[in-house]
Structure formats: structure tokens, C-alpha cells
Amino acid sequence: SGETQLLIDGGRQIPISQVIVAPKTASGTVEFFATIGRDISERQRSEERTAALLAIAKDMNGSFDLHAILDRVQRRTAALLPCDHVVTYYWEPLRSTFRNIGYYGTPPEMVADAVALEFPPGLSITDELMSGKTVVINDVSQQRLLPPAIPAHFGICALIAVPLVVRGRVLGAFVAISVTPGWQ
């Protein structure tokens, strides 16, 4: 018994736990054996998510430097999710806009544009986030939440934006972005 990889159609591998049963005859020989396998993909993903959350909690423990915390959390998020960039936005109440306060993976030539990008009320994505909803866009060509110029300029193919809610108030948003087509 143990864990291994099973090769399935298309060359994809899935993790399985397996048990091999090989009963012996009275003379001590094995005439047949059977393997019982169980897909453990979801269990492994759950273990990875739990480990990542624990690592993020450790990163945050004992530090009051917001930029250092954001940097570590964004790096871990990029390592955990299939994404190319991670951006953190803060809801700035005086200006009524989401403003970029941290990023990871943004190419140097796009940093100034990314930092200057704001999301005021009236944009569909802003309204969704302010209502506390997570926004998932698997294909930017099929969405209506972002103005088309934004994904075109930044090469965004897909994204997930999660509102950062504290005591019932939306204080910002955490966004994982893919520039790789076919992200699901």
C-alpha cells in the first residue's frame, strides 16, 4: 500500500493511494494480484491549501509592516494558484476608489500603469466587490465586469478578485491574475 501516480488518457497523471492484494496459495506461490486505487487529487489539493494558509498565518504573525506582509502573502498566493500576478487593492473612502497598494509578478514595464489603475464606483467589478461578492472571470472575452481596455492593456486572460472584508466592511480586494490562456 502507498501513494503513486496513475497515467490516464491524454498523458495526464493523477495521484492515487493504492493497495495491492496478492493472495498466496497453500504452496506459497502467488497466482494473481489485484490493485485497488483511489483518486486522492482533492485530498492533496486540500492539504496544499491548508499548508499555504498556515504559512500565510505564520507570515502575518508578529509583523506590523503591511508591505512586508502583503509581499509574503502575494508570493505564496502566486505559488499556490495557477496565476501570474497578484495585486492587492485598498478601498480609499475619501476618494471612493479601489487603489493598488501591493503587487507581485507585475512586469517592470507595467508597474506604473498598474499602480495608477483605480476602480471607482459605477464600474461593474467595483460594485460586485463592494457588495461582498467574489468575482471570477475565466475568460475576459466573455465578461462584462471590466472595461475591455483594461484586460487588453495588461494582457489579462482570467482573474479572481476576492473582497477583503473586516467586520462587515469591504476594505479592499485581493486579485489573482492569469495572462496565460486557458486558466480555469
Side-chain angles (χ1 to χ4, degrees):
S1 87
E3 294 180 2
T4 189
Q5 297 287 318
L6 176 66
L7 184 63
I8 60 175
D9 287 342
R12 194 170 67 100
Q13 292 185 348
I14 60 169
I16 62 167
S17 72
Q18 69 175 10
V19 176
I20 299 174
V21 180
K24 293 184 179 182
T25 64
S27 64
T29 61
V30 175
E31 292 182 5
F32 72 93
F33 69 92
T35 300
I36 303 168
R38 183 173 57 106
D39 183 347
I40 57 172
S41 301
E42 185 55 39
R43 187 195 81 200
Q44 283 189 344
R45 281 191 294 272
S46 178
E47 289 171 355
E48 289 169 0
R49 284 190 297 263
T50 300
L53 289 172
L54 288 172
I56 288 169
K58 281 183 184 177
D59 285 345
M60 295 173 68
N61 190 24
S63 176
F64 294 106
D65 180 353
L66 177 62
H67 293 291
I69 292 170
L70 285 177
D71 182 62
R72 288 192 298 263
V73 170
Q74 289 169 342
R75 285 176 188 277
R76 290 198 189 272
T77 301
L80 179 66
L81 296 178
C83 65
D84 302 298
H85 313 291
V86 179
V87 184
T88 304
Y89 289 92
Y90 169 72
W91 178 253
E92 195 170 288
L94 294 176
R95 294 180 51 214
S96 292
T97 191
F98 279 109
R99 184 177 60 82
N100 183 323
I101 60 167
Y103 54 87
Y104 173 78
T106 304
E109 66 275 9
M110 300 210 111
V111 167
D113 289 347
V115 169
L117 187 62
E118 295 184 359
F119 294 92
L123 287 179
S124 297
I125 193 165
T126 302
D127 296 344
E128 289 287 305
L129 290 168
M130 289 306 291
S131 71
K133 295 178 185 168
T134 295
V135 173
V136 178
I137 300 173
N138 287 317
D139 181 354
V140 295
S141 69
Q142 302 296 314
Q143 62 84 35
R144 302 201 189 292
L145 296 175
L146 282 172
I150 293 173
H153 179 72
F154 291 99
I156 299 170
C157 293
L159 67 80
I160 182 169
V162 179
L164 300 173
V165 181
V166 177
R167 295 187 180 130
R169 288 183 45 222
V170 175
L171 298 182
F174 199 68
V175 184
I177 299 167
S178 176
V179 297
T180 308
W183 176 46
Q184 295 288 325

